[in-house]
Amino acid sequence: QVQGFKRLILLAPDQHSKLHVADADASGTSAQGNISPINVEDPDLAKYPNFADAEVLVVDLVPGDVVFMPSGWWHQVRALSPSIS
């Protein structure tokens, strides 16, 4: 992170079953098997009950921080201010 602040929401690969990812019969971008319909910042636990048991890591990045993202990790990134990465 060069300038600004970002929030990362991370889930390890073993959390896949809690993300309600569409199966191989899906169409469109869901067919890729790497997109979850869950809004991880405000999950609808009535619609996606398995997510209640997910282990979620929240990391705030500040200027000078570096993140290594291992293969297979689920992630969402939100800029908290104008940012350059």
Side-chain angles (χ1 to χ4, degrees), residues 1 14-15 18 24-25 28-29 36-37 44 53 61 63 65 75 78:
Q1 188 65 23
D14 65 1
Q15 300 300 298
K18 299 169 183 151
D25 295 331
T29 56
S36 171
D44 182 344
D53 297 324
L61 296 180
D65 285 347
H75 59 280
R78 175 176 302 281

Side-chain angles (χ1 to χ4, degrees), residues 11-71:
L11 293 99
D14 65 1
Q15 300 300 298
H16 181 272
S17 64
K18 299 169 183 151
L19 291 170
H20 298 265
V21 177
D23 60 24
D25 295 331
S27 61
T29 56
S30 295
Q32 297 176 43
N34 64 351
I35 297 175
S36 171
I38 300 171
N39 175 352
V40 295
E41 293 178 282
D42 186 23
D44 182 344
L45 298 179
K47 189 171 183 180
Y48 305 111
N50 291 346
F51 191 72
D53 297 324
E55 295 176 24
V56 178
L57 301 173
V58 178
V59 178
D60 288 340
L61 296 180
V62 300
D65 285 347
V66 176
V67 173
F68 170 73
M69 188 73 63
S71 178

